[in-house]
Amino acid sequence: MLASRTALRTICRANNQQRRGIVNYLTNWPDKVMATKKVQMKGGVRMAEANPTWLKQPGDIAVFGLGLTLVFAGLTQLSTGMYRLAKGVGKKE
């Protein structure tokens, strides 16, 4: 057992392997906070409905549209189900 550990250590040292962990990979990212802040504060911060903060970054409109579509689809399903329950329509015999 000890001989195998010693042999493994010598092989690792001979190959000169680097020791990089996943923590180092996940924590070394460039800081983009100020760039994002600049985009968010463009045109002022009190624009209300004229220029909302949550629609300023690229791709925000697509996410908003998808969310709106999902909400309307859910409300349609809910209202259809409630109508069918109230009127007794669409029962399986």
Side-chain angles (χ1 to χ4, degrees):
M1 182 84 164
L2 185 61
S4 65
R5 287 186 185 171
T6 307
L8 184 62
R9 282 187 197 140
T10 55
I11 290 171
C12 289
R13 287 181 186 153
N15 291 338
N16 202 10
Q17 292 180 347
Q18 296 179 354
R19 291 187 178 199
R20 284 187 251 176
I22 192 164
V23 175
N24 189 25
Y25 173 72
L26 293 175
T27 57
N28 287 337
W29 287 98
D31 190 16
K32 298 178 183 176
V33 173
M34 293 311 287
T36 305
K37 185 177 177 182
K38 183 178 176 183
V39 169
Q40 292 288 3
M41 295 182 71
K42 183 179 179 182
V45 292
R46 295 179 187 242
M47 299 299 287
E49 69 277 350
N51 192 13
T53 304
W54 47 274
L55 284 177
K56 287 186 176 180
Q57 293 186 15
D60 284 348
I61 294 174
V63 172
F64 174 69
L66 177 67
L68 202 58
T69 303
L70 290 173
V71 166
F72 281 126
L75 288 174
T76 303
Q77 291 285 326
L78 178 71
S79 61
T80 304
M82 296 299 275
Y83 175 79
R84 288 180 180 174
L85 281 172
K87 300 290 183 175
V89 180
K91 289 192 231 179
K92 291 185 178 179
E93 308 258 345

